[in-house]
Amino acid sequence: MKERLYSTHIALLVFMIQTGVAALSLSRKAAVYFGTNGWLSILILGCVAAINIVLISVVNRLGNGMSVFEIMEKSIPRFIVIPIYLLLAAYLAAIGCLVGKQYIHIFQLIAFPTASPLMLQGCFDVLVLFLVIKGIYNISKAATVFSFLILWMVFLLFAFSNDFEFERMTPFVFKGGRDMLEGAVDMFAAFVGYELILFVMPYADRSKKWMRSVQIGNLMTTLTYFSFVFISFGFFSLGQLKIMIYPLLDMLAYIQLPFVERLENILFSFLLFTVVVTSTMYTWSAGEAVHHVFPKANRNIMALFIVFITFLLSILPDTLYKLELWLKILSYGEAAFSFAFPIFLILLLLIQGRMGVKNRV
Amino acid sequence: MSKRGLKLFFVCVVLLGSVLQMTGCNKSQRILEKLAIDHTIGYDLDDEQKLSVTAAIINQGEGGSEVKQELITAEADSSKEAKIKLSRQTSRNIVSGQLRNTMYSMDVASQGIRKLIENLVRDPSISPRVKITVVNGSVQELLSSKFPNHPNTSQYVDHLLEKNWKNQNIPQVNIYQFTRDYLDDGVDPVAPIVRKKGDNVIVDGLALFKDDKYVGKLSPDYNMLFAMSRGKYRQGEIYIKLDQNDSDGAVMLGTVSSDKKFKVWRKRSGGFVVELFLEVKGDIMEYTGNVLLSNHKDIITIEHGISKYISNKMEDMVDIMKDKRADNVGLGKQVRNSISYKEWKNINWDELYPEVTFRCTVNTKIKSTGEILEIPVPSRE
């Protein structure tokens, strides 16, 4: 019997793809763009993502679990589809590797300033490669195990109860911010990742429940983000939040246990697991796209090839500033992609449905 | 296959983890005995008004048992320039990951410490819990003083501050809290002041800051009141001199806890009234007056006396702050939260602040009067 992805796996997988390094700067962005009580924006963005997932589930329902590649190949000639696939693969792989690179850059900032970033990136890519060649079922199982290493960290938020003050939040809603729309797109980068579920569709359990579990995954992400952004608005003052580059990291650095201080170094290491899953899933999706260009090629070798190319690509942005600029541009594209692609697929499916009816008539 | 594959994967994770750990053993190997661990940094101004930085460094002696303090001073424009200059004076590598305290002389503090703090926040190796302390006198002199009961001065001061903070005699002020209040509108930061006194170091009250500049000092008598005005006060002690006709003497209240609540009104003439409601609870630990503690009515008299004392003193404290134009209690925050955003942005709080009327209403409850009622005066009949 062929393996299937079950709903719990999918919920946790979606949660793990979505969460990542973008979370570190989320509170600052909420403060800069939305101003007072910017934490409310997290709920709005979570709803936007949920609506997007509804679009994806429409694709799933109309296409009856067909893969996105099958849907496209049904209506579009192959010579047009192939460049689209290659572009898609390049794009997804680029996001995957830059997310990893960003993690390594920040890790260097706080823990290993003298270690070679190439070596760290190499180690990271080997991890990603190992996961990618194991296939989607094992990736999701690993994501399940990894998620338990991350989820407990939500309890750390209780550590801030002493310095939390509601008065600091002010009664004003979204005052003192700027460029809210641009900011919303920028912040949305922390939510994207669920659109990769489009590529997972043919591997999933055929029941209707699994789309619900994508929603549950997104809900988990939204609540996690919400809880710590909310806490950070009462813990930091607004002016302070606006100048902290990674407020979450500063919050972790503030935690003190009777026997140990400066916990952020070890806690930040736990984020590796979610970043590995994010990076892996992007690389895996890129691999899926390439596979449809070269259906006969060996998947493992192809994965090796993609990871190698992304490794070379990740050498290019050598400063954190440059890297974040690249990621910002890519994430704008990703936000557009996560909406436009399902809509495009729905249109294709509708046309195919109508043509199918006509043919039958 | 899949189970074996996963097993293999986890083995790889562990192996790679160990490889990552080993990167630390490369050139940047750090041996404790060869490190100069920066414990306290002090900032003074010299005669030419240049910044002089003193670092109290802890050296782990060979063998691991002996901990010595070394003091080095350099003139510099910034703390980081000082670090480079300081490192020329020591045979060991200076590391700042264990920095616990930063001390500023009053001269430095009154010129503004924004830049100095900014550099501390910028450095990821420095903890946000590093304390901020103002020194009455020269920092270098304090750190270089020898205190017979405390061989390591920097650690002594650090422990002194920590203990006083835990007993709520002084507010906890670290880089995070100072930056937070500095960057919030409607509240100004504070910091504890220490001073050398004979063979000891003592807490000498609170430094009031207006933005990042030291503008005045609050005497240690106000420490507890300040703590009450800023947050929940737990497990403290107050010594109160009642000077009313019907209940003279002094009361010492133990296990004091307080809850606060602010209310803001508008004056008819414009401006604001901010009222602080305090509920103070405690047990009588010591009483020297001549009221009978067994009498419930008299207890109420004492409660009123305590309430009046606290509220007067609290209003005095805010007056001192108003004089210095420093809003350390955070009245601005209360006013801000009571009006619209547009109005808050339109008013100039700095100008309005001294005109704000502050009132404090205290409700004291004495929970118990200790284990005895009173020892009767021996009758001489």
Side-chain angles (χ1 to χ4, degrees):
Chain A
M1 198 185 112
K2 213 181 163 194
E3 277 186 283
R4 288 269 159 220
L5 284 176
Y6 295 103
S7 23
T8 29
H9 288 310
I10 287 182
L12 290 173
L13 181 66
V14 170
F15 169 74
M16 292 295 277
I17 303 175
Q18 283 183 295
T19 49
V21 184
L24 296 178
S25 51
L26 204 55
S27 312
R28 169 178 45 97
K29 287 177 180 167
V32 169
Y33 295 120
F34 288 88
T36 51
N37 287 314
W39 50 271
L40 282 166
S41 63
I42 301 295
L43 296 179
I44 299 170
L45 291 174
C47 289
V48 173
I51 293 169
N52 199 175
I53 293 170
V54 171
L55 282 181
I56 294 172
S57 63
V58 171
V59 174
N60 183 43
R61 194 169 300 166
L62 286 179
N64 215 0
M66 225 186 330
S67 88
V68 289
F69 304 107
E70 273 178 68
I71 298 172
M72 281 161 76
E73 280 163 21
K74 257 189 175 177
S75 318
I76 306 172
R78 205 168 148 71
F79 71 91
I80 301 177
V81 168
I82 283 176
I84 295 179
Y85 286 175
L86 286 176
L87 198 71
L88 197 63
Y91 192 70
L92 293 172
I95 294 177
C97 84
L98 291 184
V99 166
K101 177 86 178 185
Q102 192 189 16
Y103 176 82
I104 284 160
H105 255 302
I106 299 172
F107 206 11
Q108 276 210 303
L109 179 77
I110 62 167
F112 294 117
T114 49
S116 144
L118 269 187
M119 191 188 137
L120 291 173
Q121 179 75 36
C123 291
F124 182 85
D125 281 346
V126 171
L127 280 181
V128 171
L129 180 68
F130 273 129
L131 266 178
V132 170
I133 60 177
K134 283 283 162 271
I136 184 69
Y137 305 116
N138 288 325
I139 294 175
S140 76
K141 279 175 203 161
T144 311
V145 177
F146 287 172
S147 62
F148 293 114
L149 294 171
I150 296 286
L151 283 169
W152 66 272
M153 286 171 76
V154 175
F155 295 105
L156 289 175
L157 291 173
F158 290 106
F160 304 106
S161 54
N162 270 344
D163 283 284
F164 181 87
E165 214 178 75
F166 277 106
E167 281 168 4
R168 223 166 271 137
M169 289 196 174
T170 76
F172 318 127
V173 177
F174 295 166
K175 298 283 183 201
R178 59 172 169 88
D179 308 322
M180 274 187 215
L181 198 66
E182 189 198 322
V185 179
D186 195 6
M187 284 167 71
F188 199 63
F191 287 85
V192 287
Y194 54 81
E195 75 279 3
L196 297 184
I197 279 305
L198 279 169
F199 304 101
V200 180
M201 269 185 328
Y203 300 92
D205 180 16
R206 208 29 98 241
S207 74
K208 279 181 185 169
K209 262 202 255 167
W210 84 273
M211 255 354 256
R212 205 194 304 158
S213 52
V214 179
Q215 290 285 16
I216 291 173
N218 178 50
L219 187 70
M220 279 169 73
T221 311
T222 311
L223 288 182
T224 315
Y225 285 172
F226 172 76
S227 51
F228 77 78
V229 174
F230 179 79
I231 297 284
S232 58
F233 268 78
F235 179 73
F236 295 112
S237 60
L238 187 67
Q240 191 183 18
L241 210 46
K242 282 181 178 176
I243 58 154
M244 294 279 177
I245 293 184
Y246 303 115
L248 183 58
L249 219 51
D250 287 289
M251 279 169 80
L252 293 181
Y254 198 69
I255 298 174
Q256 185 187 33
L257 297 178
F259 51 92
V260 64
E261 242 192 293
R262 312 301 307 282
L263 280 172
E264 82 271 28
N265 290 325
I266 186 160
L267 295 175
F268 186 71
S269 317
F270 281 105
L271 284 187
L272 172 72
F273 296 110
T274 161
V275 180
V276 163
V277 173
T278 310
S279 196
T280 303
M281 278 307 290
Y282 276 103
T283 314
W284 176 83
S285 307
E288 283 290 291
V290 176
H291 176 69
H292 282 82
V293 179
F294 309 106
K296 282 178 190 160
N298 183 327
R299 273 179 181 247
N300 289 357
I301 292 174
M302 229 154 50
L304 181 67
F305 182 71
I306 294 172
V307 171
F308 183 69
I309 298 278
T310 57
F311 175 71
L312 293 181
L313 177 71
S314 64
I315 298 172
L316 290 177
D318 50 355
T319 63
L320 195 53
Y321 173 75
K322 226 189 263 176
L323 183 69
E324 294 201 332
L325 193 70
W326 284 31
L327 265 175
K328 196 172 171 179
I329 296 165
L330 280 180
S331 64
Y332 279 7
E334 203 185 354
F337 169 79
S338 59
F339 274 93
F341 195 52
I343 292 175
F344 170 68
L345 291 173
I346 290 171
L347 287 178
L348 274 186
L349 283 166
L350 286 176
I351 294 167
Q352 282 167 12
R354 194 165 286 177
M355 299 237 293
V357 172
K358 266 187 192 168
N359 286 346
R360 248 176 275 153
V361 171
Chain B
M1 158 64 198
S2 76
K3 266 191 182 171
R4 262 191 63 199
L6 265 184
K7 227 183 212 173
L8 186 74
F9 175 77
F10 283 113
V11 169
C12 288
V13 170
V14 172
L15 276 179
L16 278 166
S18 357
V19 170
L20 273 179
Q21 295 286 316
M22 270 185 243
T23 54
C25 310
N26 197 6
K27 283 172 206 156
S28 56
Q29 200 178 41
R30 290 178 171 187
I31 297 166
L32 189 61
E33 282 84 0
K34 289 187 179 165
L35 291 181
I37 298 165
D38 210 345
H39 185 278
T40 300
I41 299 182
Y43 302 95
D44 281 304
L45 281 186
D46 64 9
D47 300 337
E48 292 155 20
Q49 298 293 300
K50 268 202 99 179
L51 195 66
S52 146
V53 182
T54 308
I57 280 165
I58 289 179
N59 289 333
Q60 184 74 49
E62 302 283 339
S65 57
E66 195 184 1
V67 177
K68 274 186 188 163
Q69 182 188 279
E70 188 185 331
L71 213 63
I72 43 182
T73 305
E75 246 177 43
D77 290 330
S78 77
S79 56
K80 295 289 161 197
E81 190 199 345
K83 193 179 169 184
I84 296 169
K85 283 189 173 173
L86 293 173
S87 72
R88 296 211 299 252
Q89 298 177 40
T90 173
S91 59
R92 302 169 190 233
N93 252 340
I94 299 184
V95 287
S96 42
Q98 290 295 323
L99 187 69
R100 294 298 155 96
N101 194 4
T102 53
M103 298 166 107
Y104 307 82
S105 74
M106 280 177 171
D107 299 337
V108 174
S110 43
Q111 287 198 349
I113 55 173
R114 180 178 66 90
K115 272 284 162 197
L116 297 174
I117 302 258
E118 187 187 307
N119 288 326
L120 295 174
V121 181
R122 192 183 297 283
D123 188 345
S125 71
I126 289 176
S127 160
R129 281 185 182 267
V130 169
K131 296 179 191 67
I132 289 177
T133 317
V134 173
V135 176
N136 191 351
S138 151
V139 180
Q140 201 206 349
E141 199 187 305
L142 177 85
L143 284 174
S144 57
S145 306
K146 294 268 176 268
F147 299 101
N149 299 327
H150 310 279
N152 195 328
T153 309
S154 57
Q155 278 186 344
Y156 166 44
V157 175
D158 184 46
H159 292 164
L160 175 90
L161 290 167
E162 197 112 330
K163 189 218 80 187
N164 274 292
W165 160 63
K166 280 192 179 139
N167 293 352
Q168 305 204 35
N169 289 331
I170 51 166
Q172 186 192 22
V173 181
N174 51 36
I175 295 181
Y176 146 72
Q177 280 147 336
F178 192 93
T179 328
R180 181 191 70 199
D181 290 344
Y182 169 57
L183 290 168
D184 204 355
D185 47 354
V187 63
D188 285 312
V190 289
I193 304 180
V194 292
R195 153 169 88 86
K196 191 183 160 189
K197 190 189 179 193
D199 281 347
N200 287 305
V201 176
I202 59 162
V203 174
D204 195 27
L206 274 180
L208 305 176
F209 282 82
K210 165 75 194 149
D211 296 330
D212 67 327
K213 291 188 177 73
Y214 168 80
V215 287
K217 191 184 135 191
L218 207 59
S219 95
D221 301 347
Y222 292 104
N223 285 351
M224 186 241 2
L225 291 163
F226 181 78
M228 282 182 173
S229 74
R230 281 283 279 255
K232 276 188 178 174
Y233 187 76
R234 293 282 172 268
Q235 298 290 329
E237 288 172 341
I238 338 172
Y239 188 76
I240 293 166
K241 276 199 177 129
L242 303 167
D243 49 358
Q244 289 164 305
N245 301 332
D246 44 355
S247 59
D248 55 347
V251 184
M252 153 99 173
L253 274 192
T255 57
V256 178
S257 63
S258 81
D259 277 317
K260 69 164 198 331
K261 208 174 164 186
F262 280 97
K263 272 196 177 161
V264 179
W265 287 281
R266 269 170 211 277
K267 281 191 231 170
R268 282 214 184 120
S269 55
F272 296 91
V273 180
V274 181
E275 186 159 7
L276 167 63
F277 294 91
L278 268 184
E279 187 157 309
V280 180
K281 282 181 188 168
D283 301 300
I284 290 186
M285 294 290 187
E286 198 179 280
Y287 176 64
T288 59
N290 46 21
V291 163
L292 286 177
L293 289 180
S294 51
N295 190 341
H296 182 65
K297 268 188 189 165
D298 290 338
I299 294 270
I300 291 178
T301 318
I302 295 176
E303 284 177 348
H304 283 315
I306 295 172
S307 296
K308 202 172 167 195
Y309 171 86
I310 294 178
S311 88
N312 285 343
K313 196 110 192 197
M314 193 70 94
E315 286 169 14
D316 289 348
M317 182 181 84
V318 172
D319 283 342
I320 297 172
M321 291 175 184
K322 274 197 212 162
D323 264 1
K324 312 281 180 201
R325 294 186 168 251
D327 181 12
N328 306 93
V329 170
L331 301 186
K333 212 156 67 170
Q334 305 304 329
V335 171
R336 175 191 71 188
N337 289 356
S338 72
I339 58 178
S340 74
Y341 182 76
K342 205 176 159 191
E343 196 182 351
W344 171 249
K345 284 287 152 188
N346 282 336
I347 60 173
N348 184 347
W349 176 246
D350 286 345
E351 272 176 24
L352 199 69
Y353 173 56
E355 309 302 320
V356 168
T357 310
F358 174 78
R359 279 205 294 261
C360 180
T361 309
V362 185
N363 181 16
T364 311
K365 278 182 187 161
I366 291 171
K367 289 185 288 183
S368 75
T369 55
E371 286 203 328
I372 59 162
L373 292 172
E374 201 155 357
I375 299 176
V377 185
S379 54
R380 301 183 183 278
E381 278 172 26

